[in-house]
């Protein structure tokens, strides 16, 4: 591939990425009182401190140490440590606290990877940003 063709391909990819990013970020969902696309909040009594204590009490293990029949063991998009107890991981209090922590602190929560693996995949676009270990690949520098 000649340098001119390579440069043109990288420029086209950069333009496409820019247009897509601008177009996707400007799309605002319609504000309706019956919209249910927001993550469910934890029970009113669940303060951030109560959620942090709840999540701290749950044991975590590396993905490789999960039981052989655990569905998270074979998933390649599970990073760091996960909640060891499958029932606790799928419980509504755990998932509600994870949603609350990820929405409040994003990638800075100490329970980041455990919470990301506890929530259903691609549940919420805003929360999924905290669950992404890297950004888009950078193309080589243009000469």
């Amino acid at each position: 591939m000649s340098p001119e063709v390579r440069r043109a391909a990288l420029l086209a990819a950069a333009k496409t990425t820019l247009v897509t990013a601008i177009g996707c970020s400007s799309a605002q969902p319609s504000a309706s009182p019956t919209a249910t696309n927001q993550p469910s909040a934890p029970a009113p009594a669940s303060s951030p401190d109560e959620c942090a204590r709840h999540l701290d009490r749950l044991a975590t293990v590396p993905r490789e140490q999960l039981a052989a029949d655990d569905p998270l063991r074979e998933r390649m998009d599970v990073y760091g440590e996960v909640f060891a107890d499958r029932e606790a991981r799928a419980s509504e209090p755990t998932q509600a606290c994870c949603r609350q922590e990820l929405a409040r602190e994003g990638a800075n929560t100490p329970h980041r990877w455990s919470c990301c693996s506890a929530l259903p995949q691609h549940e919420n676009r805003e929360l999924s940003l905290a669950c992404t270990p890297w950004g888009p690949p950078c193309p080589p520098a243009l000469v």
Side-chain angles (χ1 to χ4, degrees):
M1 177 184 302
S2 71
E4 294 82 20
V5 171
R6 182 170 185 259
R7 182 175 297 136
L10 287 173
L11 185 59
K15 286 180 182 179
T16 302
T17 303
L18 179 64
V19 169
T20 303
I22 291 172
C24 290
S25 66
S26 66
Q28 297 293 327
S30 62
S32 70
T34 59
T36 58
N37 60 351
Q38 297 298 321
S40 60
S46 296
S47 72
D49 292 334
E50 289 174 10
C51 276
R53 282 193 297 273
H54 170 71
L55 295 174
D56 285 338
R57 284 192 298 266
L58 298 175
T60 59
V61 295
R63 178 177 56 99
E64 297 80 21
Q65 293 180 8
L66 290 170
D69 63 337
D70 194 307
L72 293 183
R73 184 180 173 99
E74 299 303 318
R75 280 188 32 201
M76 297 307 293
D77 62 340
V78 175
Y79 307 99
E81 295 199 346
V82 299
F83 296 125
D85 183 4
R86 289 167 72 172
E87 292 170 3
R89 181 188 325 147
S91 73
E92 183 54 34
T94 300
Q95 292 192 358
C97 283
C98 282
R99 286 183 195 100
Q100 182 182 13
E101 271 207 13
L102 288 171
R104 189 180 70 246
E105 298 182 36
N108 296 324
T109 177
H111 308 104
R112 176 185 184 184
W113 298 122
S114 302
C115 282
C116 288
S117 62
L119 294 173
Q121 287 180 299
H122 311 294
E123 178 185 78
N124 184 299
R125 193 168 120 188
E126 289 80 29
L127 298 182
S128 67
L129 293 176
C131 298
T132 304
W134 52 77
C138 295
L142 295 175
V143 187

